[in-house]
Amino acid sequence: MAKVTGLGGIFFRSRDPAALSAWYAKHLGLAVDDWGGVRFNEDEERAGYTLWSPFTADTTYFGPGPQPYMVNFRVDDLDALLVQLRAAGIEVDERVDISEFGRFGWATDPEGTRIELWQPSA
């Protein structure tokens, strides 16, 4: 059975992501990367890490509606998990994105909240 292996990230809407990232860097000491987010618990020996990342207030990345945040879960087998979710009647986005960071899929929880599923690159 495919399963979640950790929390991959915390993503949320912001009126001004650059200013918010700068505030967190200045006041809380977060090491904000050039792309505007922070990687936590990065371990060269282990695939995956946890991200903190503000998005623009009008982002469509979180799906339709006013959802202010999206949780990203690290998973061990994205394809198998998407099949399991579909078989259980759960709404799953047909799209799977592939990047240098790994593979990404999305599903919607019972309250209508879109979640991101991430299988890191090996």
Side-chain angles (χ1 to χ4, degrees), residues 1-3 10 22 36 38 51 59 61 71 85 89 103 114-115:
M1 175 181 204
K3 62 184 186 307
I10 301 166
V38 177
L51 299 174
T59 186
Y61 192 69
V71 177
L85 295 172
R103 300 176 68 243
R114 182 176 168 95
I115 59 172

Side-chain angles (χ1 to χ4, degrees), residues 83-97:
V83 167
Q84 285 172 205
L85 295 172
R86 286 184 182 108
I90 295 168
E91 182 182 333
V92 175
D93 195 316
E94 292 299 318
R95 183 174 52 110
V96 171
D97 280 355

